[in-house]
Amino acid sequence: MVRTPGQRAGLSRDAVLAAAREVFAERGTAGLSMRAVAAQLGVAPNALYSHVADKTALVDALLDDRLGALTPPPADAEPLAGLRDVMLATFDLLGRHADLVPLYLARQGARGENARALGAAMTVLLARRGVTGDDAGLVVRALIVHTLGYAALATAEAPLDPPRLRAELEVTLGWLLTGATAPT
């Protein structure tokens, strides 16, 4: 079996993501580059391209990697509770990783495997409430945007009261979900 250059350097995607997390934690968005990650790993920058296509893909992978800490709601959960719970868990996760909130906003969420799994689980719950197709996609987007907005308020340089914001988010998610899943 022929190995790619990144494999010859002894790298894995997990190692690249771990180094990217370290660089990001030390230097922020401005300091996160393929060169900086390669330097952290002690390899040439071209060794990374076997694992991530470019800086945008690296950022997307970092964002999606964090979402891996969330458990998608089970298909048999009460739909509104399951949807609310996953959004509240997302808010809590973002609160623990405040430095990533601007990236989620800039990239308009995450696109990887973990993000897709969460979206698919949410879509199943919405279908049980009669919301399907494009409408389900719109509801998922509205919930994500709403939650990201609250997370941005809670993690800003001069944040509003995070516990109060979480309580407000719980109430407003209920409003959104009730309205979005009401029979028309």
Side-chain angles (χ1 to χ4, degrees), residues 20-89:
R21 277 192 298 276
E22 290 176 27
V23 169
F24 181 75
E26 293 170 6
R27 304 180 196 176
T29 305
L32 180 64
S33 68
M34 298 296 273
R35 285 188 182 283
V37 173
Q40 183 77 17
L41 291 164
V43 299
N46 65 341
L48 303 181
Y49 292 100
S50 298
H51 305 285
V52 290
D54 54 24
K55 181 180 174 179
T56 299
L58 180 63
V59 169
D60 285 342
L62 277 176
L63 296 175
D64 193 61
D65 181 57
R66 285 295 178 210
L67 291 180
L70 298 175
T71 302
D76 63 349
E78 192 286 312
L80 298 185
L83 292 162
R84 184 193 66 241
D85 291 349
V86 76
M87 290 293 90
L88 291 172

Side-chain angles (χ1 to χ4, degrees), residues 90-180:
T90 300
F91 176 85
D92 294 341
L93 175 76
L94 293 172
R96 290 188 303 274
H97 301 285
D99 54 341
L100 292 178
V101 173
L103 290 177
Y104 279 104
L105 292 169
R107 297 293 300 140
Q108 301 176 13
R111 295 163 178 74
E113 180 181 322
N114 294 316
R116 286 191 302 276
L118 288 168
M122 292 170 70
T123 301
V124 167
L125 294 180
L126 286 166
R128 291 186 41 223
R129 292 286 299 202
V131 181
T132 59
D134 290 344
D135 288 345
L138 289 174
V139 172
V140 168
R141 181 178 299 176
L143 293 170
I144 292 168
V145 167
H146 187 69
T147 302
L148 278 174
Y150 266 88
L153 291 173
T155 60
E157 279 189 39
L160 300 175
D161 179 25
R164 188 183 109 223
L165 287 171
R166 189 183 193 284
E168 287 179 12
L169 177 61
E170 189 165 359
V171 170
T172 58
L173 283 170
W175 296 342
L176 285 173
L177 288 165
T178 299

